[in-house]
Amino acid sequence: MIISVIGCGYLGAVHAASMASLGHDVIGIDVDARRVEKLARGEAPFFEPGLDELLTATIATGRLRFSHDMADIAAAQVHFLAVGTPQSESGAADLRYVDAAVAAAIPYLGPGTLLVGKSTVPVGTADRLAALVAPTGAALAWNPEFLREGHAIQDTLSPDRIVYGVADGDGTTVGILDAVYADALARGVSRLVTDLRTAELVKVAANAFLATKISFINAMAEIAEKVDADVVALADAIGRDDRIGRRFLNAGVGFGGGCLPKDIRGFIARSEEVGAGEATAFLREVDRINLRRRDRIVELLAEELGELQGARIAVLGIAFKPESDDVRDSPAIDVIGRLHAAGADVVATDPRAIEAARRAHPELVVEYAATAREAMSDAGAVVLLTEWTEFRELDPVEERAVVRTPLMIDGRNVLDRERWIAAGWRVRALGRGSGAASR
Ligand code: NAD
């Protein structure tokens, strides 16, 4: 099948390369000419494990091309829409990129073609776009994406489920999408067909649930800190219950990235618009709990050091999660800014995200270090904010020798506390009491 993917960011570039790897002919379109040039050379414009290799391999087959000229979508039958839907000032999703991309694509749509939304949008967007597209004779579907950055290729090729939102009784569209996803369906991946509005809601509801689960355990962490209890043991114990499950119960500095924070805010805004604001009011608290964890890291440091002014603080991790260079709404960016505001000298490192942080946050006053060792040299405290394997595997004995003060704030609860304490470190972590155990 000939496919276009409009918008080649974290979602679209992976989708384009993955579809080409399945044997489809794919043209990826982006308005960012530099991004298109890079992609055409087989270079991902961001870090995603395996993506450079997949781009190079699929471009070599001749089945994957990139262009910034929308006219190049004309030969495609299925057009995936994967442009960004960032947060606007009001908190609602900003649909300007979706609207611009659809307007630019309309001249190239016609009977028998299908426009498939993958971007995360407020419920009702697809109905509005369907009306715009209808005069061309093309159909419109919504096919939300659930990929996780860091595992994006695998999640695209082998998702937990595939959801098609289609207009009432539109069996033709279902058939076309089944042909696109034939490989996954043949391997038994379940596919659910819904109306357009439900498909849009499935995505924001899934993210709202995940965000709630994280904030739930972080709320328990706040209580555990007050009463000298241990949130990690608590998560292990409640997580054994199948109805609860242990995943997404890791207390720490909380969620960030280009999806969860903006999607819950967009969901709140849209719920209010449709007269159901009370139904998602709890998500405001989910958001607040999440942001409080960032304050708590700074508080913990202040508790330990007494004075942040002039303190040299090493921050390990800048990306919002490991195996990614995505710094959008990353807790670490926020914490670095707060530490600087409190007078600290911050030196930060990340295996992949330094360049992205420099580009996206030129305002940050921070020294970047190439390695954890360099960042920790002479540090008065170390804060772990992204759980990269190389940080989890640091040797507390060796690192003890380079820091000025062996104080570790484990913002992700991933270090082997006993080992660090045995090596002479004082360890504080979120949701693990006053740290008495480490005294
Ligand atoms: P992104 O910002 O990385 O990529 C968006 C791309 O669209 C950019 O390359 C931009 O240049 C391009 N673009 C903007 N306007 C365009 C236009 N008119 N024509 C062609 N290209 C245009 O964003 P992303 O993270 O890939 O997210 C895209 C959408 O997918 C969002 O709605 C997001 O919520 C959703 N989503 C993202 C993920 C994820 O893990 N990143 C997962 C699921 C869903």
Side-chain angles (χ1 to χ4, degrees):
M1 188 158 308
I2 307 180
I3 288 175
S4 83
V5 177
I6 303 167
C8 292
Y10 284 90
L11 189 167
V14 172
H15 195 68
S18 300
M19 293 299 108
S21 78
L22 294 173
H24 299 302
D25 271 313
V26 182
I27 174 81
I29 302 287
D30 204 289
V31 285
D32 181 337
R34 277 190 45 210
R35 178 159 283 204
V36 167
E37 266 173 41
K38 276 195 108 171
L39 285 163
R41 286 198 302 269
E43 288 169 32
F46 46 83
F47 174 67
E48 177 63 39
L51 184 55
D52 280 335
E53 295 80 353
L54 191 68
L55 284 166
T56 307
T58 46
I59 289 168
T61 65
R63 286 197 303 269
L64 177 62
R65 292 180 303 121
F66 291 94
S67 164
H68 61 264
D69 185 356
M70 193 64 93
D72 287 336
I73 72 168
Q77 184 187 2
V78 179
H79 307 279
F80 284 101
L81 185 64
V83 299
T85 50
Q87 183 183 327
S88 66
E89 261 175 38
S90 70
D94 180 349
L95 293 178
R96 86 178 82 164
Y97 305 106
V98 168
D99 290 337
V102 171
I106 278 178
Y108 308 103
L109 303 179
T113 65
L114 178 61
L115 180 62
V116 187
K118 285 199 89 60
S119 303
T120 305
V121 291
V123 59
T125 306
D127 279 335
R128 179 171 66 76
L129 297 178
L132 292 175
V133 165
T136 69
L140 182 125
W142 219 264
N143 170 219
E145 178 57 57
F146 305 100
L147 69 81
R148 296 161 303 162
E149 287 175 23
H151 307 268
I153 296 169
Q154 189 205 336
D155 288 353
T156 301
L157 293 173
S158 296
D160 293 333
R161 74 298 206 190
I162 303 175
V163 176
Y164 308 160
V166 301
D168 253 4
D170 185 355
T172 311
T173 290
V174 173
I176 295 171
L177 287 171
D178 279 353
V180 170
Y181 292 119
D183 179 80
L185 296 176
R187 283 183 287 111
V189 172
S190 61
R191 81 81 163 114
L192 294 96
V193 180
T194 71
D195 57 72
L196 289 167
R197 292 168 303 285
T198 303
E200 294 169 311
L201 273 178
V202 165
K203 175 64 193 173
V204 285
N207 277 355
F209 190 88
L210 294 173
T212 302
K213 204 169 171 192
I214 297 169
S215 279
F216 174 83
I217 200 65
N218 281 332
M220 297 305 107
E222 287 188 18
I223 295 164
E225 278 164 23
K226 294 280 186 214
V227 300
D228 229 345
D230 187 337
V231 76
V232 176
L234 182 146
D236 288 342
I238 64 171
R240 293 286 164 90
D241 185 330
D242 284 348
R243 295 168 302 174
I244 296 174
R246 181 64 175 81
R247 294 178 71 194
F248 273 69
L249 281 186
N250 295 320
V253 71
F255 57 81
C259 291
L260 256 49
K262 67 131 172 107
D263 287 351
I264 60 170
R265 293 169 199 152
F267 197 14
I268 295 167
R270 186 62 183 144
S271 306
E272 285 169 355
E273 283 167 14
V274 302
E278 284 185 10
T280 56
F282 73 97
L283 290 175
R284 286 192 195 285
E285 199 51 48
V286 166
D287 200 6
R288 276 196 285 264
I289 293 167
N290 192 53
L291 296 177
R292 278 205 296 273
R293 297 287 76 191
R294 303 177 184 187
D295 292 328
R296 183 67 188 134
I297 292 279
V298 180
E299 275 171 28
L300 268 178
L301 277 163
E303 273 175 36
E304 291 294 325
L305 298 176
E307 178 60 80
L308 288 175
Q309 183 69 40
R312 183 174 169 86
I313 313 266
V315 169
L316 306 184
I318 304 171
F320 87 97
K321 66 185 292 192
E323 300 303 325
S324 175
D325 65 355
D326 196 345
V327 298
R328 290 178 290 184
D329 208 343
S330 174
I333 297 284
D334 225 349
V335 169
I336 291 169
R338 288 170 205 222
L339 289 173
H340 169 70
D345 294 329
V346 187
V347 49
T349 188
D350 189 286
R352 296 284 179 175
I354 292 176
E355 271 324 298
R358 273 193 217 279
R359 262 198 320 273
H361 292 283
E363 80 289 354
L364 269 194
V365 184
V366 57
E367 184 187 323
Y368 291 109
T371 61
R373 173 65 53 84
E374 197 183 317
M376 290 164 83
S377 292
D378 208 28
V382 183
V383 191
L384 191 159
L385 294 178
T386 316
E387 63 275 36
W388 285 93
T389 306
E390 64 182 75
F391 299 153
R392 302 168 83 131
E393 290 177 351
L394 284 170
D395 182 335
V397 176
E398 283 178 23
E399 304 313 330
R400 169 87 176 77
V402 305
V403 294
R404 178 154 20 109
T405 314
L407 169 63
M408 169 63 80
I409 309 287
D410 180 1
R412 293 290 179 182
N413 274 317
V414 290
L415 298 178
D416 179 342
R417 211 153 63 135
E418 303 315 319
R419 210 172 137 235
W420 283 74
I421 292 167
W425 287 76
R426 177 163 167 77
V427 179
R428 296 292 307 266
L430 296 172
R432 308 199 82 178
S434 63
S438 69
R439 283 198 179 115

